[in-house]
Amino acid sequence: MKKFKYLYIGVLSAILSGTFTSCEDYLDVNKNPNYPDESQVTVTTLLPSAFTGSAAVMGYLYQLYGSMWSQHYTQNPSSSQYITLVNYAMTSSSDLRLWRIPYADVLPDLDLVIKKSEEEGAWNYWVVGKIMTAFTYHVLTDAYGDIPFTEALKGQNCKYDDSKTVVYPGIIKMLDDAIDKEAEASAKGLKTMNVEDYIYDGDIAKWIRFAKTLKLKLLMRDFDTNKAEIETMLAAGDFLEDDATVHCFEDVVNKSNPFYENDRRQLNTTNNVRACTTLLNYLEKDKEHKDPRIGDFYEMTVASERTEYRAIPYGNRTSSTYSISTTSRAVIGATDPVYYMSAAEAEYLLAECYARLGDKDNAKTHYDDAVELSFARWNHGDKAAEFTANGGLYEFQDTDEESMLKCILTQKWIASTRCQAWDAWFDINRTGIPEVSEKTTDDATYVLGTLAYNPNSSLAMGQFAHRFIYSKESLDYNTNAPTKVPAITEPLWWHKK
């Protein structure tokens, strides 16, 4: 594919293993891959570089953490590659890449894209740079809380800004600025942008819809405060219709999806990531009407000659009971896209908005559309209607706001499997759906569709991972880093209390 003249996934693997080069093609022009000489790079090389690093961290690390903490997957009991993750035993040294790649690699490239495109009047690059910067800060502040923002990228000792009062308003302003530039970014005669844009091939209208939908998503972190603005946005419409994905991967060594490349190609075993009973049991709750997406999420077990699916209770380490041959491996595709936002997510967001506004009809319309898009992603769109029909397994429940939200967020949790699991983790924290249980899935009183207790967890029963721990690098070398490091269980300002 043409985009691979820019994107080398081998470089994604290098980034993820600690060699923080931006892109193979650019090593001869960047004096320092993390801090390139501004006179030697152009927006046409910087933007692909930013996408490369972003796809690496979002498509592997954030997706991996989200998949485990949302209990789509769990760790193979006979190995321990991800066991500290599954047990919520995260420390400031657990994985420095979660912070380093987006903050030290991606944001500097995007900052230069914005500066250089403004100087050149390349407003199409400017808009994409602004939106991707906003997205990156959104992920960082939602994962860590207070982060460097107003002084970010200006030196080693940047102050940490309050997420609620400084970072969030700043991100929303970035999105507003980008939206306001749509006409100039769509004008004729601008610097060409197609293969340099890994998501929308230079289609600014699609980027603007992405920006509007991301803004709506952020406003919903504090729905009551932002209710009037949300209603104004709903009335105006023009939300995301086309999935925002990096989608140019090949089933070739060093060119495949980052999760696949790092878990299935680079490790000494391909069996780490297994089906989790939390999700599988929910999808199979009606044995005669199983969710057709099961086969898109999990492989059938080898011991059954691939005629059945079997999962492992979250965090269970009994390898004799849950062996590789008798349990299902997670499906991770070599050519799977890396998702930033999807049309299904947009519909779930709209359904939630209307549910919170008490508009049951619009909530149901967008919910049904969201479920259909979620099924269609895996080529089951024709089967969605039977699930959302009256009496169907996923029929919309509108008794009250709570029942509507549970319906919407549960389906959104399922839909995020194999694509946006990191966002499911954010939603669990924001809404409490699915609810964190104190029961394992083996317990007779366990309720389907709740997050199961991990008996090997480093956290107390009923506790959950609400944030990443600040990176040791920042804590050690930034004199303005927080002196009191929040625990992994400490909620962020927008979390459900």
Side-chain angles (χ1 to χ4, degrees):
M1 301 178 83
K2 286 196 300 180
K3 288 186 181 179
F4 271 113
K5 80 178 193 179
Y6 293 108
L7 178 59
Y8 288 81
I9 305 307
V11 179
L12 299 188
S13 298
I15 288 173
L16 289 166
S17 65
T19 306
F20 295 97
T21 53
S22 292
C23 196
E24 190 172 83
D25 282 354
Y26 312 131
L27 292 181
D28 58 340
V29 296
N30 289 357
K31 290 182 179 179
N32 181 320
N34 293 330
Y35 300 99
D37 186 328
E38 293 187 29
S39 67
Q40 293 183 296
V41 290
T42 66
V43 292
T44 57
T45 55
L46 285 164
L47 188 60
S49 174
F51 278 123
T52 299
S54 180
V57 72
M58 295 307 300
Y60 175 41
L61 295 174
Y62 278 76
Q63 181 65 9
L64 169 66
Y65 275 70
S67 295
M68 295 296 188
W69 287 351
S70 298
Q71 298 188 14
H72 300 154
Y73 310 146
T74 191
Q75 167 72 54
N76 166 30
S78 61
S79 57
S80 57
Q81 180 70 24
Y82 307 126
I83 198 62
T84 56
L85 189 167
V86 170
N87 290 348
Y88 312 112
M90 194 177 189
T91 70
S92 62
S93 299
S94 291
D95 203 323
L96 305 181
R97 302 167 297 175
L98 291 163
W99 173 260
R100 187 191 296 168
I101 296 174
Y103 184 78
D105 289 358
V106 177
L107 286 174
D109 279 350
L110 291 172
D111 186 55
L112 283 176
V113 168
I114 294 167
K115 289 176 179 175
K116 284 184 168 289
S117 59
E118 186 166 357
E119 292 170 0
E120 299 173 18
W123 297 113
N124 46 349
Y125 282 87
W126 189 91
V127 161
V128 173
K130 277 283 185 180
I131 296 171
M132 281 300 297
T133 299
F135 175 85
T136 305
Y137 276 120
H138 141 60
V139 171
L140 286 174
T141 195
D142 282 3
Y144 289 93
D146 297 349
I147 59 171
F149 184 73
T150 57
E151 295 182 358
L153 316 181
K154 293 181 180 179
Q156 182 171 297
N157 295 313
C158 306
K159 69 174 181 177
Y160 277 60
D161 292 305
D162 181 74
S163 177
K164 180 178 183 179
T165 61
V166 178
V167 183
Y168 255 69
I171 295 173
I172 289 172
K173 185 179 186 305
M174 285 182 188
L175 294 172
D176 284 338
D177 289 346
I179 292 166
D180 290 344
K181 282 287 185 186
E182 180 177 10
E184 290 168 88
S186 304
K188 295 181 180 178
L190 296 176
K191 185 187 292 288
T192 301
M193 180 175 66
N194 42 58
V195 295
E196 296 85 0
D197 172 5
Y198 294 169
I199 293 181
Y200 286 134
D201 297 312
D203 191 325
I204 294 300
K206 291 179 180 179
W207 274 105
I208 296 301
R209 293 189 194 104
F210 179 16
K212 290 177 179 177
T213 311
L214 179 55
K215 178 181 176 180
L216 179 67
K217 175 180 177 177
L218 299 180
L219 291 175
M220 288 174 66
R221 298 295 199 245
D222 191 355
F223 187 87
D224 291 338
T225 298
N226 299 315
K227 181 179 177 180
E229 189 169 2
I230 288 171
E231 289 180 305
T232 299
M233 291 191 71
L234 293 177
D238 196 32
F239 296 108
L240 186 142
E241 300 172 354
D242 303 272
D243 294 345
T245 65
V246 173
H247 47 268
C248 49
F249 304 106
E250 297 178 7
D251 190 4
V252 177
V253 174
N254 291 332
K255 292 186 178 181
S256 57
N257 168 281
F259 200 164
Y260 185 93
E261 187 68 33
N262 286 275
D263 183 80
R264 296 290 159 88
R265 291 198 205 274
Q266 305 296 334
L267 296 181
N268 61 356
T269 174
T270 62
N271 292 301
N272 272 304
V273 186
R274 315 301 292 182
C276 181
T277 54
T278 305
L279 179 58
L280 179 60
N281 288 0
Y282 189 86
L283 298 176
E284 288 191 323
K285 61 181 179 179
D286 186 324
K287 298 298 183 182
E288 294 183 6
H289 301 92
K290 297 179 183 180
D291 192 309
R293 294 170 293 182
I294 293 173
D296 301 296
F297 300 158
Y298 308 122
E299 299 173 358
M300 289 184 176
T301 65
V302 175
S304 68
E305 297 182 349
R306 304 196 184 280
T307 60
E308 67 177 2
Y309 301 96
R310 187 178 183 224
I312 302 168
Y314 187 67
N316 191 291
R317 300 292 293 163
T318 313
S319 57
S320 58
T321 304
Y322 299 103
S323 67
I324 291 171
S325 64
T326 61
T327 57
S328 297
R329 188 173 70 158
V331 175
I332 304 171
T335 60
D336 281 358
V338 170
Y339 279 80
Y340 292 81
M341 188 168 275
S342 67
E345 179 189 353
E347 290 298 321
Y348 283 118
L349 285 171
L350 293 171
E352 182 183 345
C353 282
Y354 285 113
R356 292 184 183 278
L357 291 168
D359 186 339
K360 296 180 179 181
D361 290 339
N362 266 318
K364 173 178 167 49
T365 296
H366 288 287
Y367 168 82
D368 288 349
D369 288 346
V371 175
E372 182 177 358
L373 286 168
S374 301
F375 274 61
R377 176 182 289 148
W378 308 110
N379 299 313
H380 305 299
D382 59 327
K383 299 179 182 178
E386 68 182 81
F387 281 81
T388 57
N390 291 339
L393 285 177
Y394 301 153
E395 177 187 2
F396 188 61
Q397 304 296 322
D398 64 0
T399 304
D400 50 25
E401 181 180 307
E402 182 180 353
S403 62
M404 288 191 285
L405 292 179
K406 184 175 181 180
C407 228
I408 295 163
L409 272 300
T410 299
Q411 286 306 309
K412 194 178 178 190
W413 166 63
I414 297 171
S416 69
T417 309
R418 198 179 158 187
C419 58
Q420 288 175 274
W422 51 271
D423 196 54
W425 174 51
F426 289 161
D427 273 339
I428 291 165
N429 283 322
R430 177 175 68 90
T431 67
I433 302 170
E435 182 181 351
V436 177
S437 173
E438 295 187 354
K439 308 290 184 180
T440 66
T441 51
D442 293 332
D443 192 303
T445 61
Y446 167 79
V447 177
L448 279 174
T450 59
L451 297 184
Y453 173 62
N454 173 4
N456 295 302
S457 175
S458 64
L459 306 181
M461 189 176 291
Q463 290 189 326
F464 188 63
H466 289 316
R467 61 168 75 218
F468 290 162
I469 304 298
Y470 285 128
S471 166
K472 178 176 172 56
E473 290 178 338
S474 185
L475 295 173
D476 285 351
Y477 300 113
N478 185 344
T479 59
N480 288 313
T483 54
K484 181 181 182 299
V485 179
I488 194 172
T489 55
E490 186 172 324
L492 302 182
W493 68 270
W494 47 271
H495 286 186
K496 182 173 182 179
K497 301 298 190 287

